[in-house]
Amino acid sequence: MADASNLGTTASSRLFVYLSRHWLLAWTLLAMSFLLFGLLSVNLLHVLSANLNFLAEHGIDAVRDGGLLQLAEIVLTVYLAVACYVVFKFCERILVDRLAHTSKQESAS
């Protein structure tokens, strides 16, 4: 397992290298993950709060009515939103690194 302190010095992953070479794909993936993150996270805190209040007020009746299943779906939505955010930040890093590398090469010439 890689040590967290060595992450900056290790070789880039194959996915990082591939998306660095295919920047248009990275741009498309960035846009899609940003859109999905927004769609998944909109109104999420309100729904989570309402679900927890429903479970707290009605107890076992809320569980019978599917309150725990809904809570599990909300938690799954949170994890999917976080995964979309991670993909967004990954693609952003690739595109910023590419832009910075291109800018360094142009200024050197």
Side-chain angles (χ1 to χ4, degrees), residues 7 14 21 23 26 35 39 42-43 47 51 63 72 86 90 104 108:
L7 287 179
R14 285 186 234 161
R21 291 183 186 144
W23 63 270
L35 180 65
L39 289 173
V42 88
N43 210 19
V47 172
N51 180 265
V63 172
V86 169
F90 181 69
K104 286 180 185 177

Side-chain angles (χ1 to χ4, degrees), residues 51 54-55 61-72 74:
N51 180 265
F54 175 66
L55 286 169
D61 289 334
V63 172
R64 285 188 199 125
D65 286 338
L68 284 181
L69 179 61
Q70 185 181 25
L71 181 62
I74 293 168

Side-chain angles (χ1 to χ4, degrees), residues 32-53:
M32 287 177 20
S33 63
F34 179 76
L35 180 65
L36 282 173
F37 172 72
L39 289 173
L40 289 171
S41 63
V42 88
N43 210 19
L44 195 57
L45 288 177
H46 179 70
V47 172
L48 179 62
S49 173
N51 180 265
L52 292 175
N53 286 336

Side-chain angles (χ1 to χ4, degrees), residues 77-97:
T77 302
V78 168
Y79 280 118
L80 288 173
V82 169
C84 289
Y85 180 75
V86 169
V87 170
F88 170 77
K89 293 302 284 184
F90 181 69
C91 292
E92 179 190 39
R93 166 84 188 269
I94 290 168
L95 293 171
V96 167
D97 283 355

